Amino acid sequence: MFTVADMMTPKPHTLSRNDTLLDAKEMMQTLSIRHIPITDHNHHLLGLISQRDVLAAQDSNLKSVIAPHSHSPLEVLLEHCMNRDVFSVDSHAGLKEAALYMQKHQIGCLPVVDNQQLVGIITNSDFVAIAVTLLEMQDEIDPLEQEQDRLDDLSDIGDINIERD
């Protein structure tokens, strides 16, 4: 059985509750990630910020025109806007169970926690990568099966003499 530990990203990038939404936005852009766990100095999971959270908080162009002297929502500390009700998973949990859980609850990631410390993260992108790998493996197997089926079909025809020019 494959476990979450087999496919998770170990030691994910994190931020603290004293970082800002702007810090989260910049980290997401720099690292091309969509979820950032928020931890304390002991790596205890406190919450999570997603790309969706950052996008929802950003100033629109219209707002900056209407109120040019207002503070940006991206200056807000993560402590005040992080999702605290975060689903997490143990690294020894089954990979299939984790995928089904994410699908059922429509969540994009599961922080991986062992002994109350963040040790990894598994995301919907990880499961897409698994699916692509399985499809590629299937593509490698299919041509061999098709060739064998073709040879079996030829042998079923009987005594046909096939010659090449």
Side-chain angles (χ1 to χ4, degrees):
M1 171 177 87
F2 287 105
T3 66
V4 169
D6 296 323
M7 295 305 297
M8 71 179 188
T9 300
K11 299 178 183 174
H13 296 279
T14 63
L15 290 172
S16 79
R17 65 175 129 211
N18 295 319
D19 289 312
T20 65
L21 271 173
L22 182 59
D23 296 325
K25 177 184 177 184
E26 290 172 350
M27 181 181 278
M28 288 177 187
Q29 288 175 335
T30 301
L31 301 173
S32 297
I33 58 176
R34 294 182 304 210
H35 306 93
I36 303 174
I38 310 305
T39 59
D40 64 15
H41 61 280
N42 291 319
H43 303 289
H44 294 134
L45 181 64
L46 302 175
L48 186 79
I49 287 291
S50 71
Q51 184 179 42
R52 188 175 294 149
D53 299 326
V54 173
L55 292 172
Q58 285 186 23
D59 285 336
S60 72
N61 290 337
L62 182 60
K63 183 177 178 184
S64 64
V65 170
I66 294 171
H69 300 294
S70 67
H71 294 284
S72 168
L74 294 179
E75 295 173 8
V76 172
L77 294 179
L78 296 178
E79 173 179 38
H80 301 298
C81 59
M82 66 182 172
N83 297 307
R84 295 175 191 271
D85 188 20
V86 178
F87 298 108
S88 65
V89 66
D90 183 275
S91 66
H92 303 293
L95 198 55
K96 178 181 175 184
E97 288 76 19
L100 290 171
Y101 189 84
M102 288 174 64
Q103 182 183 31
K104 178 180 178 183
H105 295 282
Q106 298 180 343
I107 54 178
C109 74
L110 283 172
V112 184
V113 176
D114 286 337
N115 300 319
Q116 299 180 341
Q117 291 191 325
L118 180 72
V119 296
I121 191 167
I122 191 154
T123 68
N124 50 10
S125 295
D126 295 321
F127 286 105
V128 170
I130 292 167
V132 168
T133 300
L134 292 173
L135 290 169
E136 287 172 346
M137 290 170 54
Q138 184 64 39
D139 286 346
E140 291 173 7
I141 293 170
D142 278 349
L144 296 175
E145 288 178 358
Q146 289 172 0
E147 182 65 22
Q148 185 59 48
D149 289 346
R150 214 173 101 241
L151 292 173
D152 290 344
D153 290 345
L154 286 176
S155 68
D156 289 344
I157 293 174
D159 295 329
I160 296 177
N161 193 5
I162 301 174
E163 295 179 18
R164 285 196 154 157
D165 290 334

